[in-house]
Amino acid sequence: MALLLEVTQWDVPGRLGFKILNNPFPIKAMEYVYRLEPEDGGTRLTLDGEIELVRFLRFAGGLMGKMYVKSNRNELNTAKQLLEGG
């Protein structure tokens, strides 16, 4: 899936923030910020995200939030394994 992103924060080497401009899902706004910080000889990656649902989906916010957390966690774990040579 191709996404059009707008960079909202850029502080090399520690922070990258962006929002998705062409979200194919019924979401009004979606913005993420990745923070990289040195930790114990490695790097800690922290992801903060904010999602604003369209009006008719607001009742499902809790469930959708849990789904996004699980999806992001899986994607970040996969990235970690690939970066560490696994």
Side-chain angles (χ1 to χ4, degrees):
M1 169 175 26
L3 297 174
L4 180 61
L5 306 176
E6 177 184 331
V7 175
T8 58
Q9 297 181 34
W10 180 253
D11 182 16
V12 177
R15 185 180 293 261
L16 169 64
F18 61 90
K19 64 181 175 180
I20 299 173
L21 299 177
N22 66 334
N23 198 325
F25 306 107
I27 295 172
K28 189 173 181 181
M30 188 178 239
E31 187 166 355
Y32 291 104
V33 176
Y34 290 94
R35 289 191 326 269
L36 297 154
E37 302 164 302
E39 183 178 279
D40 298 328
T43 303
R44 172 177 289 279
L45 172 69
T46 304
L47 169 61
D48 292 318
E50 189 172 309
I51 299 168
E52 184 179 346
L53 299 172
V54 294
R55 177 171 278 161
F56 73 91
L57 282 179
R58 287 187 186 152
F59 73 91
L63 176 62
M64 290 187 75
K66 289 177 185 177
M67 289 172 33
Y68 272 97
V69 166
K70 183 177 179 181
S71 173
N72 286 327
R73 184 174 289 128
N74 289 339
E75 290 170 9
L76 292 172
N77 282 336
T78 299
K80 181 180 189 294
Q81 290 174 357
L82 292 170
L83 289 168
E84 292 177 347

